[in-house]
């Protein structure tokens, strides 16, 4: 009898984590990991954080680890489609792979502006290792650099460029960079951090077009202003790479819709990571959570479930962002209606913030406050009530407060 065969489409952190989890949970069938890129699966977070392209491309696992776990890598092969009738994964070259189950971990792709001149040389997106190499090549020639979009990718790239001495302008369509994920108070602090490092920040502006002869030379804004540019990085968000799923009729709504264990509404298709729309227990609503740590944990949970050990990722969402040698870390997911509490003594160089919903901490974030953020994690995980003035007081022992929360005996007052 042939071995059961699981095919994983997409060598992302979710895909690799799923493959390893399958083995760790006793799956003894065949595992094939397919990806269009030719190099060993690598971590994505460093691509926008490092000024050295060689340091930015970090393998997720050593090469020998895959063979050691009997995981076959098929790299440099793009998946053309899924043959639903024959349960086969069809590759671009015409070859196909039999698949008893398919896991889609295809991640996301960068959104485009759709304006004239977007195809000029030195107008970059930043998602893959090849993207990062092209960006670094441009930056080595010098600036100015225009970053379109004040999200984490754009601001991390802006920080790298400033450390290289390059003039940087960030163009943000909204009120403030990072306003969506962090809210106005914390977003204002992060904006000031960049301004203090010499970044020009223009808000409430979009891009009308890019101009240049072969390579970009200037960016024309919606108000008519023209910014000189030797390079541009467009970071206006990503969209789920769910084409393959849609073509076979899998339900997709801002990503591949899956249940708590990663199953789609096609019994042989599963999905995990950035491409998957799932209800995270700590969030309570269906969403795609585009964070490396979440993708790793979700992939591992889905891989375990596919191996016969039903597993749900219940860990509170976590992310980090490195800028100017400082680390912004956050546990939990904040909403626009949540109350933001800043611990006294905040500066753009160092701060600690909490998000409260009905007197319960739903998120905590800090810049260069790693110990405090980790200490407050239990507050978010427990959902225990806490007063804002307790959190704002710098004398409050967060570790003790969190221990109380973990025991569900959290005091309301210091």
């Amino acid at each position: 009898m042939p071995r059961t065969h699981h095919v994983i489409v997409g060598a992302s952190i979710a895909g690799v984590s799923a493959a390893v989890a399958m083995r760790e949970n006793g799956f003894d069938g065949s595992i094939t990991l397919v990806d269009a890129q030719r190099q060993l699966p690598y971590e994505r977070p460093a691509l926008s954080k490092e000024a050295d392209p060689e340091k930015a491309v970090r393998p997720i696992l050593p090469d020998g680890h895959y063979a050691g776990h009997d995981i076959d890598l098929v790299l440099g092969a793009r998946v053309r489609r899924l043959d639903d009738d024959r349960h086969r994964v069809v590759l671009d070259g015409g070859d196909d792979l039999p698949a008893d189950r398919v896991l889609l971990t295809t991640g996301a792709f960068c959104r485009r502006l759709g304006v004239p001149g977007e195809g000029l040389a030195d107008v970059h997106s930043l998602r893959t290792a090849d993207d990062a190499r092209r960006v670094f090549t441009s930056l080595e020639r010098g600036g100015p650099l225009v970053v379109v979009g004040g999200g984490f990718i754009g601001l991390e790239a802006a920080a790298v460029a400033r450390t290289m001495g390059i003039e940087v302008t960030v163009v943000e369509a909204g009120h403030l960079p990072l306003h969506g994920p962090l809210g106005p108070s914390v977003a204002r602090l992060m904006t000031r951090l960049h301004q203090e490092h010499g970044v020009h920040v223009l808000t409430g502006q979009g891009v009308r077009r890019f101009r240049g002869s072969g390579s970009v030379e200037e960016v024309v804004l919606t108000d008519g202003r023209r910014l000189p540019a030797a390079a541009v990085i467009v970071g206006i968000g990503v969209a789920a790479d769910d084409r393959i799923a849609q073509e076979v009729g899998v339900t997709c709504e801002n990503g591949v819709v899956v249940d708590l264990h990663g199953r789609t509404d096609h019994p042989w298709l599963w999905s995990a990571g950035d491409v998957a729309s799932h209800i995270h227990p700590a969030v309570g609503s269906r969403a795609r959570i585009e964070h490396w740590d979440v993708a790793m944990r979700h992939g591992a949970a889905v891989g375990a479930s596919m191996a016969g050990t039903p597993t749900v990722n219940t860990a509170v969402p976590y992310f980090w962002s490195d800028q100017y040698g400082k680390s912004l870390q956050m546990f939990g997911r904040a909403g626009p209606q949540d109350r933001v509490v800043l611990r006294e003594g905040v500066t753009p160089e160092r701060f600690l913030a909490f998000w409260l919903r009905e007197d319960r901490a739903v998120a905590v974030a800090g810049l260069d406050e790693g110990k405090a953020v980790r200490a407050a994690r239990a507050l978010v995980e427990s959902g225990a009530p806490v007063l804002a003035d307790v959190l704002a007081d710098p004398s409050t022992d967060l570790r003790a407060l969190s221990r109380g929360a973990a025991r569900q005996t959290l005091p309301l007052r210091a």
Side-chain angles (χ1 to χ4, degrees), residues 323-384:
Q323 300 175 36
Y324 303 109
K326 300 178 178 297
S327 182
L328 173 68
Q329 299 180 67
M330 185 173 188
F331 283 103
R333 294 272 283 185
Q337 304 305 317
D338 295 334
R339 179 185 178 187
V340 180
V341 178
L342 294 173
R343 176 156 277 205
E344 294 174 15
V346 300
T347 71
E349 300 284 334
R350 192 182 187 104
F351 60 78
L352 186 64
F354 302 87
W355 284 259
L356 297 184
R357 190 179 305 160
E358 297 178 353
D359 292 327
R360 299 174 190 274
V362 295
V364 57
L367 184 69
D368 264 12
E369 289 281 7
K371 289 183 179 180
V373 171
R374 290 190 295 274
R377 177 180 179 175
L379 295 175
V380 177
E381 292 175 332
S382 70

Side-chain angles (χ1 to χ4, degrees), residues 122-184:
D122 296 310
V123 176
H124 305 285
S125 56
L126 185 49
R127 186 73 180 176
T128 69
D130 288 341
D131 292 337
R133 294 187 183 101
R134 285 189 286 266
V135 168
F136 293 134
T137 297
S138 290
L139 294 184
E140 285 174 350
R141 293 195 292 263
L145 168 69
V146 175
V147 176
V148 182
F152 288 110
I153 296 295
L155 293 187
E156 288 169 359
V160 168
R162 285 301 299 140
T163 63
M164 297 171 67
I166 293 171
E167 181 182 348
V168 179
T169 300
V170 172
V171 178
E172 166 58 41
H175 298 298
L176 285 167
L178 300 179
H179 184 278
L182 299 180

Side-chain angles (χ1 to χ4, degrees), residues 369-409:
E369 289 281 7
K371 289 183 179 180
V373 171
R374 290 190 295 274
R377 177 180 179 175
L379 295 175
V380 177
E381 292 175 332
S382 70
V386 61
L387 291 182
D389 58 359
V390 172
L391 297 175
D393 186 348
S395 68
T396 297
D397 185 339
L398 290 174
R399 192 177 298 275
L401 201 63
S402 294
R403 284 197 295 267
R407 295 192 300 267
Q408 293 295 301
T409 58

